[in-house]
Amino acid sequence: MTKSSEKETFHLSGPQYLTKILDWSNASHRRSIAASSVKGVYILERDRQKNRQGPDALAPPWWESFHFILIETLVDSKDQSIFGAIYQYKCPNNNHHSTTSSHHNKNPPKYVIAFRGTLLKPKSAYQDLKLDLRVIVHRLHNSTRITIGLQAVQNIVDLNQGSYNDIWLAGHSLGSTISLIIGRDMVKNNINLETYLFNPPFASLPIEKIINNSTLKLGIRCAHSVVTAGLSFAINMVMSPGSTNQPNDTFPKLCGWVPYLFVNKSDPICSDYFGYFEYLEKMIESGSDEIARVVTRNSLQSILETAIGRESEPSQNLPSAHMITNLSPCTSHGLSQWWAPGLQCNYKRYKFW
């Protein structure tokens, strides 16, 4: 077996230790299973590329080990690659999962919709990298993957008779951005999905990684906030004279959605979430609550695009989040870090409004 195949094989590289001790009330177990469901999407696409079928397929154990069945794969119409999957939980006969609580956060999800990140292989790299560029310029919401994924999630909510407490969204890297955009869209319809975002990209200059001076970092963020708030106020006055609210403002609804962000300070792709939330916290503590709201609602790009009539949202800007930081040494952007046994994490909940 090649090294690549070993990493794709559940019993060699996955959280096999959970199959005998699974406790759905344990946050670490839930995190690990969400990550495993995303890994299953990566391996589904690798199985497709390598034409591994039937007993040769490596993907099924990544979800079947936790009593899920695959009910749908989501395929990108541009390159025919599998970028997402929908799993349904099937309660085992021996009912070995420990929880009987009625609270939805203590029970297994009925459905998991998972999205993979960039796969740098010949049959998927080109389209994935194109979408990575869309993330950087905040244009991913216009992609076919968002359209397909959003429809799939809405179908599951409808299938579940409008209930959403037992539906999870999960994604890694590019897949995190897909999950984030879909999650935000569902919030507009008062549907707050339990969402697991592993190494979510923060598309901006990685200030946390390239600048060590805390005073300089604070100064840069302050200057950015002043420009953003001033421009937002000016544009809003022109477009909606006499109104203090932005058109189609979904911010109040968004405040009630608190996704889980799994980040690593050594990962330049997601590390700026640390600075983003810490700066929001400092602004609010200093009494600059209104500026903080404006900065959370907007980015410079979204303001300018709105001004010329384009629909634009800074999807990475969140008013609330559970932020879980990996403190253990590991590959900073790898998905496998999130199911490693004995993982040391720091947890902080941000909810400002």
PDB file of all heavy atoms in Angstrom, residues 17 58 66 90 103 112 156 172 188 212 250 252 255 282 290 321 333:
ATOM      1  N   TYR A  17     -10.429   4.856  16.954  1.00  0.00           N
ATOM      2  CA  TYR A  17     -10.582   4.690  18.401  1.00  0.00           C
ATOM      3  C   TYR A  17     -11.994   5.066  18.880  1.00  0.00           C
ATOM      4  O   TYR A  17     -12.452   4.608  19.929  1.00  0.00           O
ATOM      5  CB  TYR A  17      -9.538   5.530  19.144  1.00  0.00           C
ATOM      6  CG  TYR A  17      -9.685   7.028  18.939  1.00  0.00           C
ATOM      7  CD1 TYR A  17     -10.390   7.811  19.842  1.00  0.00           C
ATOM      8  CD2 TYR A  17      -9.115   7.655  17.834  1.00  0.00           C
ATOM      9  CE1 TYR A  17     -10.528   9.177  19.662  1.00  0.00           C
ATOM     10  CE2 TYR A  17      -9.245   9.027  17.639  1.00  0.00           C
ATOM     11  CZ  TYR A  17      -9.957   9.779  18.545  1.00  0.00           C
ATOM     12  OH  TYR A  17     -10.085  11.133  18.357  1.00  0.00           O
ATOM     13  N   LEU A  58     -12.273   3.084  -0.820  1.00  0.00           N
ATOM     14  CA  LEU A  58     -11.753   3.390   0.519  1.00  0.00           C
ATOM     15  C   LEU A  58     -12.629   4.367   1.291  1.00  0.00           C
ATOM     16  O   LEU A  58     -12.427   4.555   2.492  1.00  0.00           O
ATOM     17  CB  LEU A  58     -10.335   3.973   0.403  1.00  0.00           C
ATOM     18  CG  LEU A  58      -9.264   3.053  -0.186  1.00  0.00           C
ATOM     19  CD1 LEU A  58      -7.918   3.781  -0.221  1.00  0.00           C
ATOM     20  CD2 LEU A  58      -9.147   1.760   0.612  1.00  0.00           C
ATOM     21  N   PHE A  66     -19.420   5.149  11.853  1.00  0.00           N
ATOM     22  CA  PHE A  66     -20.200   5.877  12.844  1.00  0.00           C
ATOM     23  C   PHE A  66     -21.706   5.796  12.552  1.00  0.00           C
ATOM     24  O   PHE A  66     -22.482   6.624  12.986  1.00  0.00           O
ATOM     25  CB  PHE A  66     -19.730   7.338  12.895  1.00  0.00           C
ATOM     26  CG  PHE A  66     -18.246   7.445  13.134  1.00  0.00           C
ATOM     27  CD1 PHE A  66     -17.407   7.946  12.148  1.00  0.00           C
ATOM     28  CD2 PHE A  66     -17.684   7.008  14.318  1.00  0.00           C
ATOM     29  CE1 PHE A  66     -16.042   8.032  12.351  1.00  0.00           C
ATOM     30  CE2 PHE A  66     -16.318   7.090  14.538  1.00  0.00           C
ATOM     31  CZ  PHE A  66     -15.492   7.592  13.548  1.00  0.00           C
ATOM     32  N   LYS A  90     -28.138   6.174  10.793  1.00  0.00           N
ATOM     33  CA  LYS A  90     -28.983   5.007  11.010  1.00  0.00           C
ATOM     34  C   LYS A  90     -28.634   4.421  12.361  1.00  0.00           C
ATOM     35  O   LYS A  90     -27.537   3.877  12.547  1.00  0.00           O
ATOM     36  CB  LYS A  90     -28.779   3.964   9.901  1.00  0.00           C
ATOM     37  CG  LYS A  90     -29.306   4.408   8.536  1.00  0.00           C
ATOM     38  CD  LYS A  90     -30.815   4.599   8.542  1.00  0.00           C
ATOM     39  CE  LYS A  90     -31.347   4.926   7.165  1.00  0.00           C
ATOM     40  NZ  LYS A  90     -32.812   5.162   7.170  1.00  0.00           N
ATOM     41  N   HIS A 103     -32.010  17.091  24.176  1.00  0.00           N
ATOM     42  CA  HIS A 103     -31.405  18.314  23.634  1.00  0.00           C
ATOM     43  C   HIS A 103     -30.649  17.987  22.356  1.00  0.00           C
ATOM     44  O   HIS A 103     -29.845  17.068  22.321  1.00  0.00           O
ATOM     45  CB  HIS A 103     -30.446  18.915  24.669  1.00  0.00           C
ATOM     46  CG  HIS A 103     -30.014  20.306  24.332  1.00  0.00           C
ATOM     47  ND1 HIS A 103     -29.158  20.578  23.299  1.00  0.00           N
ATOM     48  CD2 HIS A 103     -30.335  21.493  24.895  1.00  0.00           C
ATOM     49  CE1 HIS A 103     -28.947  21.884  23.233  1.00  0.00           C
ATOM     50  NE2 HIS A 103     -29.647  22.468  24.199  1.00  0.00           N
ATOM     51  N   VAL A 112     -25.921  14.823   7.831  1.00  0.00           N
ATOM     52  CA  VAL A 112     -24.701  15.633   7.751  1.00  0.00           C
ATOM     53  C   VAL A 112     -24.458  15.958   6.285  1.00  0.00           C
ATOM     54  O   VAL A 112     -24.432  15.050   5.441  1.00  0.00           O
ATOM     55  CB  VAL A 112     -23.471  14.902   8.324  1.00  0.00           C
ATOM     56  CG1 VAL A 112     -22.208  15.762   8.162  1.00  0.00           C
ATOM     57  CG2 VAL A 112     -23.685  14.554   9.793  1.00  0.00           C
ATOM     58  N   ILE A 156     -32.819  18.809   2.051  1.00  0.00           N
ATOM     59  CA  ILE A 156     -32.748  18.013   3.286  1.00  0.00           C
ATOM     60  C   ILE A 156     -33.627  18.619   4.366  1.00  0.00           C
ATOM     61  O   ILE A 156     -34.321  17.904   5.102  1.00  0.00           O
ATOM     62  CB  ILE A 156     -31.286  17.883   3.760  1.00  0.00           C
ATOM     63  CG1 ILE A 156     -30.500  17.001   2.803  1.00  0.00           C
ATOM     64  CG2 ILE A 156     -31.210  17.323   5.179  1.00  0.00           C
ATOM     65  CD1 ILE A 156     -31.000  15.566   2.696  1.00  0.00           C
ATOM     66  N   HIS A 172     -14.069  21.702   5.118  1.00  0.00           N
ATOM     67  CA  HIS A 172     -12.656  21.968   5.390  1.00  0.00           C
ATOM     68  C   HIS A 172     -12.100  22.878   4.307  1.00  0.00           C
ATOM     69  O   HIS A 172     -12.325  22.644   3.118  1.00  0.00           O
ATOM     70  CB  HIS A 172     -11.865  20.659   5.422  1.00  0.00           C
ATOM     71  CG  HIS A 172     -10.379  20.847   5.540  1.00  0.00           C
ATOM     72  ND1 HIS A 172      -9.496  20.476   4.544  1.00  0.00           N
ATOM     73  CD2 HIS A 172      -9.614  21.385   6.532  1.00  0.00           C
ATOM     74  CE1 HIS A 172      -8.261  20.748   4.929  1.00  0.00           C
ATOM     75  NE2 HIS A 172      -8.310  21.315   6.120  1.00  0.00           N
ATOM     76  N   LYS A 188     -30.937  33.492   6.669  1.00  0.00           N
ATOM     77  CA  LYS A 188     -31.908  34.472   6.152  1.00  0.00           C
ATOM     78  C   LYS A 188     -33.330  33.943   6.215  1.00  0.00           C
ATOM     79  O   LYS A 188     -34.286  34.720   6.273  1.00  0.00           O
ATOM     80  CB  LYS A 188     -31.547  34.839   4.706  1.00  0.00           C
ATOM     81  CG  LYS A 188     -30.210  35.547   4.567  1.00  0.00           C
ATOM     82  CD  LYS A 188     -29.842  35.761   3.103  1.00  0.00           C
ATOM     83  CE  LYS A 188     -28.459  36.367   2.964  1.00  0.00           C
ATOM     84  NZ  LYS A 188     -28.047  36.511   1.539  1.00  0.00           N
ATOM     85  N   ASN A 212       4.562  40.990  13.658  1.00  0.00           N
ATOM     86  CA  ASN A 212       4.717  40.545  15.044  1.00  0.00           C
ATOM     87  C   ASN A 212       4.408  41.648  16.053  1.00  0.00           C
ATOM     88  O   ASN A 212       4.099  41.369  17.208  1.00  0.00           O
ATOM     89  CB  ASN A 212       6.140  40.029  15.281  1.00  0.00           C
ATOM     90  CG  ASN A 212       6.437  38.760  14.503  1.00  0.00           C
ATOM     91  OD1 ASN A 212       5.561  37.893  14.371  1.00  0.00           O
ATOM     92  ND2 ASN A 212       7.652  38.644  13.969  1.00  0.00           N
ATOM     93  N   THR A 250     -29.292  41.573   6.981  1.00  0.00           N
ATOM     94  CA  THR A 250     -29.563  40.304   7.659  1.00  0.00           C
ATOM     95  C   THR A 250     -28.760  40.175   8.946  1.00  0.00           C
ATOM     96  O   THR A 250     -28.772  39.115   9.571  1.00  0.00           O
ATOM     97  CB  THR A 250     -29.217  39.122   6.730  1.00  0.00           C
ATOM     98  OG1 THR A 250     -27.821  39.189   6.384  1.00  0.00           O
ATOM     99  CG2 THR A 250     -30.049  39.156   5.461  1.00  0.00           C
ATOM    100  N   PRO A 252     -29.087  41.223  12.115  1.00  0.00           N
ATOM    101  CA  PRO A 252     -29.739  40.751  13.348  1.00  0.00           C
ATOM    102  C   PRO A 252     -29.964  39.248  13.379  1.00  0.00           C
ATOM    103  O   PRO A 252     -29.780  38.604  14.418  1.00  0.00           O
ATOM    104  CB  PRO A 252     -31.068  41.523  13.348  1.00  0.00           C
ATOM    105  CG  PRO A 252     -30.777  42.760  12.563  1.00  0.00           C
ATOM    106  CD  PRO A 252     -29.841  42.301  11.466  1.00  0.00           C
ATOM    107  N   CYS A 255     -26.630  37.264  13.923  1.00  0.00           N
ATOM    108  CA  CYS A 255     -26.094  37.271  15.288  1.00  0.00           C
ATOM    109  C   CYS A 255     -26.518  36.047  16.085  1.00  0.00           C
ATOM    110  O   CYS A 255     -25.833  35.651  17.044  1.00  0.00           O
ATOM    111  CB  CYS A 255     -26.544  38.541  16.015  1.00  0.00           C
ATOM    112  SG  CYS A 255     -25.766  40.055  15.419  1.00  0.00           S
ATOM    113  N   LYS A 282     -12.003  44.176  21.447  1.00  0.00           N
ATOM    114  CA  LYS A 282     -11.396  45.406  21.958  1.00  0.00           C
ATOM    115  C   LYS A 282     -12.229  46.629  21.597  1.00  0.00           C
ATOM    116  O   LYS A 282     -12.380  47.558  22.395  1.00  0.00           O
ATOM    117  CB  LYS A 282      -9.976  45.559  21.406  1.00  0.00           C
ATOM    118  CG  LYS A 282      -8.977  44.598  22.014  1.00  0.00           C
ATOM    119  CD  LYS A 282      -7.596  44.754  21.378  1.00  0.00           C
ATOM    120  CE  LYS A 282      -6.618  43.765  21.990  1.00  0.00           C
ATOM    121  NZ  LYS A 282      -5.280  43.837  21.353  1.00  0.00           N
ATOM    122  N   GLU A 290     -20.789  50.651  17.662  1.00  0.00           N
ATOM    123  CA  GLU A 290     -21.387  50.900  16.356  1.00  0.00           C
ATOM    124  C   GLU A 290     -20.387  50.679  15.225  1.00  0.00           C
ATOM    125  O   GLU A 290     -20.732  50.154  14.164  1.00  0.00           O
ATOM    126  CB  GLU A 290     -21.962  52.315  16.295  1.00  0.00           C
ATOM    127  CG  GLU A 290     -23.254  52.481  17.066  1.00  0.00           C
ATOM    128  CD  GLU A 290     -24.317  51.458  16.654  1.00  0.00           C
ATOM    129  OE1 GLU A 290     -24.535  51.287  15.435  1.00  0.00           O
ATOM    130  OE2 GLU A 290     -24.903  50.821  17.536  1.00  0.00           O
ATOM    131  N   ALA A 321     -19.280  33.231  17.053  1.00  0.00           N
ATOM    132  CA  ALA A 321     -18.623  31.963  16.712  1.00  0.00           C
ATOM    133  C   ALA A 321     -18.131  31.266  17.976  1.00  0.00           C
ATOM    134  O   ALA A 321     -17.793  31.917  18.972  1.00  0.00           O
ATOM    135  CB  ALA A 321     -17.448  32.184  15.772  1.00  0.00           C
ATOM    136  N   HIS A 333      -2.598  22.977   8.410  1.00  0.00           N
ATOM    137  CA  HIS A 333      -3.822  23.057   7.605  1.00  0.00           C
ATOM    138  C   HIS A 333      -4.464  21.691   7.367  1.00  0.00           C
ATOM    139  O   HIS A 333      -5.489  21.597   6.707  1.00  0.00           O
ATOM    140  CB  HIS A 333      -3.527  23.729   6.252  1.00  0.00           C
ATOM    141  CG  HIS A 333      -4.742  24.177   5.516  1.00  0.00           C
ATOM    142  ND1 HIS A 333      -5.585  25.179   5.982  1.00  0.00           N
ATOM    143  CD2 HIS A 333      -5.292  23.759   4.346  1.00  0.00           C
ATOM    144  CE1 HIS A 333      -6.568  25.357   5.128  1.00  0.00           C
ATOM    145  NE2 HIS A 333      -6.426  24.507   4.127  1.00  0.00           N
TER     146      HIS A 333
END
